[in-house]
Amino acid sequence: QVKLVESGGGLVQAGGSLRLSCAASGGTFSLYNMGWFRQAPGKERAFVAGITWNGGNTHYADSVKDRFTISRDNAKNTLYLQIDSLKPEDTAVYYCAAAALATTPTLYNYWGSGTQVTVSS
């Protein structure tokens, strides 16, 4: 069973950038499709970006597709989310998630504990 640990969050001014990381352990990283989600205060958790097991395909929520870039390094068992031109509305807890190719390739059923991103105006 894969374990996920996010890092890289913090307090940043609007217009700045952050790179979030998600370190995976306990499983073969390349056997999972991966995704990033976020949960803003008072809102439900929402999909942000996804990437297939080999990085060959990515997809994004419409609200972030011009500013966020998802990537992965299977040799390092790490998922990334580059966030540029940050806006106050990007403030949220960001979670990485994994979907096992062998069983539920479109269902994210492994989750990290999240990393807080706070954007000041």
Side-chain angles (χ1 to χ4, degrees):
Q1 179 171 333
V2 66
K3 179 181 177 181
L4 306 172
V5 179
E6 303 92 338
S7 62
L11 174 63
V12 63
Q13 288 189 330
S17 296
L18 279 177
R19 188 194 198 198
L20 306 184
S21 298
C22 172
S25 62
T28 303
F29 186 58
S30 60
L31 296 181
Y32 295 86
N33 292 327
M34 299 295 296
W36 286 100
F37 291 72
R38 68 183 180 184
Q39 187 167 17
K43 296 187 177 181
E44 294 186 352
R45 190 175 300 185
F47 172 79
V48 171
I51 188 168
T52 52
W53 65 276
N54 62 350
N57 285 289
T58 60
H59 54 289
Y60 299 89
D62 288 342
S63 59
V64 307
K65 63 173 53 176
D66 295 329
R67 300 184 294 117
F68 288 24
T69 304
I70 189 172
S71 62
R72 65 190 295 164
D73 185 337
N74 285 352
K76 296 182 178 179
N77 294 337
T78 304
L79 176 73
Y80 303 100
L81 186 69
Q82 177 69 36
I83 310 175
D84 298 319
S85 302
L86 276 156
K87 303 176 180 180
E89 53 263 42
D90 294 321
T91 294
V93 178
Y94 284 73
Y95 300 89
C96 71
L101 290 178
T103 53
T104 55
T106 61
L107 177 62
Y108 296 100
N109 48 17
Y110 301 96
W111 295 84
S113 59
T115 186
Q116 176 71 48
V117 172
T118 302
V119 184
S120 63
S121 58

